[in-house]
Amino acid sequence: MTAHYDALETREQAAREAELFSRLPAVLRSAMTAPAYAERLKGVDPDAVTTRAALARLPVLRKSELPALHKASAPFGGLVAVAPGSFARLFTSPGPIFEPEGRQADPWRGARALFAAGFREGDIVLNTFSYHLTPGGFIFDSSARALGCAVIPAGPGNAEQQFELIEAYRPVGYSGTPDFLKILLDAAATAGRDVSSIKRALVSGAAFPPSLQAEIKARGIDAYQAFGTADLGLIAFETEAREGMVVNEDLIMEIVKPGTGDPVAPGDVGEIVVTSLDPHHPWIRLALGDLTAALPGTSPCGRTNMRIKGWMGRADQTTKVKGMFVRPEQVAEIAKRHPALGRLRLVVTRQGETDAMTLKAETAAASEALREEIAGTLRAVTKLGGAIELVGPGALPNDGKVIADER
């Protein structure tokens, strides 16, 4: 059995619960100095919120609400009491949602996930998450450096230059989407480049189906998955036990019935709700829109925190394509820019081992020019490319669904 990141990971669950909930009242008091939380938590006595039952009585804040909140009260929707200049970096994600990075070491709580995946001090890590405006690159960069690793800030794309860096620096680790890892390995094989130094990987931001897991393993890379968001950083991660994902320390996770704040019965599938304990930038019952279920018992790896089955779909229609969230509001924006269209449905699938999306649009005046115009709008709004399928009026079901994730 491998070593653990620290003793917190193996403490009794009762001791962890007691420690987290002893800190929660102070975090609530800090949150309530921000105007939006003061309004949402009006009448709440922070000193009384010291159990899961008490926490479950607080209102849920849905991630899907954040774009409107941030637009109404820029930049953080009245949910952050301190000035933006008190943070280290300031990002945006599609929505738009604005996210700050704290100044503390390992602000996104990712060092544990990397350690569980076999990364160690002194390792060199090729980080291929984007460093441009969105926080993904910096989440994994700061986490690896907190662990004592050296980071190659590669970002996605530009495979030829990445091969030069890999052959020169010989990184042992990779962080990025599983899709791009396959692209990199395939391109290296075609070009005859040596990327054999990469032996382990922490992947996130896209589906990692068993077929792709087996292919990556066959190429000599031990890859682990992590589940995180741009708001909270790394929330849960795989360990060598390969039995679900262990929830990260310093977070309180609840699993609730979708559309409510009520906890599900043990083992039932529900929506992930997370409370973080950073008083500088707390999240109180942030509902992510992602579905999971808790696993019973303790992980064979020795970590004692709550375990989840991993990502099991979306509680709402928001989904993630190639590491980027795509939201119903964005489909509505496309419809607004093309008033002649009827119903729209964005269908997300897999083509080979890569995410793909097709926008189906009702129209009585199909043409190649219209298809190209819609394709340009799709890319402009979602920052992702996709196919356009024009169908006749009434061809799409009248069921209210605008995003269909068929992966």
Side-chain angles (χ1 to χ4, degrees):
M1 189 173 293
T2 62
H4 301 100
Y5 184 75
D6 61 20
L8 294 179
E9 294 186 335
T10 56
R11 57 185 162 166
E12 292 293 327
Q13 178 65 354
R16 177 182 292 107
E17 290 279 295
E19 191 263 338
L20 292 176
F21 280 92
S22 71
R23 294 163 55 191
L24 183 56
V27 173
L28 285 170
R29 280 192 292 273
S30 178
M32 292 169 71
T33 62
Y37 274 129
E39 179 62 29
R40 284 174 173 268
L41 303 176
K42 185 183 296 183
V44 171
D45 176 7
D47 291 328
V49 186
T50 57
T51 65
R52 285 186 176 267
L55 179 61
R57 289 192 287 270
L58 302 185
V60 162
L61 170 63
R62 300 206 166 277
K63 182 164 180 172
S64 58
E65 297 177 59
L66 296 182
L69 289 172
H70 288 188
K71 183 177 181 179
S73 180
F76 304 129
L79 296 165
V80 178
V82 296
S86 66
F87 293 99
R89 293 186 178 92
L90 302 169
F91 302 105
T92 184
S93 291
I97 296 174
F98 300 102
E99 298 114 353
E101 179 187 78
R103 293 182 181 272
Q104 69 270 36
D106 196 17
W108 305 99
R109 308 175 190 85
R112 293 180 188 279
L114 288 162
F115 188 93
F119 291 65
R120 293 296 182 267
E121 182 178 355
D123 284 351
I124 298 172
V125 181
L126 181 77
N127 183 29
T128 67
F129 283 105
S130 175
Y131 283 79
H132 181 64
L133 293 180
T134 58
F138 289 95
I139 289 174
F140 286 82
D141 186 298
S142 62
S143 299
R145 289 189 296 109
L147 189 58
C149 301
V151 180
I152 302 171
N158 201 352
E160 184 65 30
Q161 190 169 15
Q162 296 216 23
F163 295 149
E164 293 177 4
L165 290 164
I166 292 168
E167 290 173 343
Y169 287 120
R170 309 302 293 162
V172 71
Y174 166 95
S175 56
T177 67
D179 292 351
F180 188 69
L181 178 56
K182 174 176 167 54
I183 289 170
L184 205 61
L185 295 175
D186 288 347
T190 299
R193 305 301 293 262
D194 181 10
V195 296
S196 62
S197 64
I198 299 174
K199 299 298 184 185
R200 45 190 170 270
L202 185 64
V203 300
S204 191
F208 193 31
S211 58
L212 184 54
Q213 293 177 37
E215 180 176 346
I216 298 300
K217 182 71 173 177
R219 295 187 180 201
I221 298 175
D222 201 15
Y224 291 77
Q225 299 179 75
F227 169 68
T229 72
D231 322 271
L232 291 154
L234 275 293
I235 296 169
F237 50 87
E238 277 191 309
T239 74
E240 70 270 19
R242 303 286 188 178
E243 291 188 7
M245 293 185 178
V246 174
V247 175
N248 211 341
E249 300 293 328
D250 289 328
L251 299 173
I252 299 172
M253 179 185 288
E254 303 168 89
I255 302 176
V256 306
K257 298 173 184 176
T260 77
D262 303 328
V264 299
D268 283 0
V269 176
E271 182 178 8
I272 297 171
V273 171
V274 179
T275 297
S276 70
L277 297 176
D278 176 5
H280 193 65
H281 182 213
W283 288 107
I284 309 301
R285 301 202 81 202
L286 180 65
L288 303 180
D290 293 299
L291 297 174
T292 196
L295 291 171
T298 300
S299 173
C301 73
R303 293 172 178 84
T304 56
N305 207 350
M306 175 184 183
R307 291 184 301 156
I308 59 175
K309 288 185 177 180
W311 187 80
M312 298 178 68
R314 293 290 298 174
D316 60 18
Q317 293 181 45
T318 300
T319 193
K320 190 178 281 187
V321 181
K322 297 182 179 178
M324 301 283 282
F325 279 110
V326 180
R327 305 177 187 279
E329 299 93 317
Q330 292 172 306
V331 179
E333 176 62 25
I334 295 170
K336 189 185 300 182
R337 297 189 189 187
H338 298 277
L341 299 180
R343 296 190 187 99
L344 301 179
R345 175 169 296 197
L346 188 67
V347 179
V348 184
T349 58
R350 297 281 291 179
Q351 290 183 355
E353 298 294 355
T354 302
D355 290 343
M357 61 185 192
T358 300
L359 181 65
K360 297 184 177 182
E362 292 182 355
T363 179
S367 68
E368 182 61 22
L370 178 61
R371 191 193 67 78
E372 291 179 0
E373 288 175 11
I374 299 170
T377 303
L378 176 65
R379 180 174 290 279
V381 171
T382 68
K383 307 300 188 288
L384 295 163
I388 306 299
E389 182 180 339
L390 300 179
V391 299
L396 298 177
N398 183 21
D399 57 7
K401 182 178 284 189
V402 295
I403 298 178
D405 192 338
E406 298 181 356
R407 289 172 292 188

